[in-house]
Amino acid sequence: MTEPDQRLYYLLQRAAHRLRTTLDRRCLAAAGVTTAQLGALFAVQDSPGITQQELARTLGLRESAVTGLVGRLTMAGLVSRQAHPLQHRAVVLELTSAGEAALKAAQPEIDRFNADVRDLLGDDGFDGTATALKRLAYWEV
């Protein structure tokens, strides 16, 4: 019997890459957006009026990366930028109707993807993995 692979970080990186590229392909075909763009759209949907700085914190990205991401989303008509009512240098982000439509179009693919992963891992494996990943995502070290 072989020992389980203990290179956790390496396995997480490989799994994240495989999951991201698979879902990217599906969401691009269904809704014309990538998983990175979906993450931003979901964050804006969850927090209308979010600033780019807050979006960067939410997504765990550098502000420079979010500036480019928001620029692409704005050019695609998926989000709008408005001047912040209190901070003269900040902008707030709102989901447009096209952004809402993209999220709606992507949802069936997200559901299919989750079902495929659930089939691969089984119900207990899926739920246990989701719980473990959430713990890791919010781990205070």
Side-chain angles (χ1 to χ4, degrees):
M1 179 174 186
T2 62
E3 291 294 314
D5 195 332
Q6 298 295 312
R7 300 171 298 170
L8 182 62
Y9 187 78
Y10 167 74
L11 293 170
L12 284 171
Q13 289 291 93
R14 289 217 35 193
H17 176 74
R18 173 66 54 95
L19 294 170
R20 184 179 53 254
T21 56
T22 300
L23 191 55
D24 269 346
R25 188 173 53 254
R26 292 179 182 192
C27 289
L28 277 167
V33 293
T34 65
T35 54
Q37 292 168 329
L38 278 174
L41 292 174
F42 278 123
V44 173
Q45 181 184 49
D46 291 347
S47 300
I50 192 171
T51 65
Q52 284 189 201
Q53 186 178 41
E54 292 165 337
L55 181 60
R57 266 195 310 277
T58 298
L59 298 176
L61 298 173
R62 290 186 309 271
E63 286 185 51
S64 59
V66 169
T67 299
L69 178 60
V70 168
R72 289 185 294 280
L73 291 172
T74 302
M75 296 246 331
L78 302 174
V79 298
S80 65
R81 290 188 270 208
Q82 309 296 325
H84 192 286
L86 303 174
Q87 301 173 27
H88 75 282
R89 295 181 64 201
V91 295
V92 294
L93 305 172
E94 299 286 342
L95 206 56
T96 64
S97 58
E100 291 172 6
L103 286 176
K104 188 174 183 177
Q107 193 59 56
E109 284 306 319
I110 294 167
D111 294 342
R112 271 191 282 284
F113 177 80
N114 284 340
D116 289 346
V117 174
R118 187 176 290 277
D119 287 346
L120 176 68
L121 299 177
D123 286 338
D124 291 342
F126 183 91
D127 295 339
T129 300
T131 299
L133 289 174
K134 186 173 183 180
R135 279 190 205 143
L136 288 170
Y138 295 99
W139 184 21
E140 297 287 331
V141 286

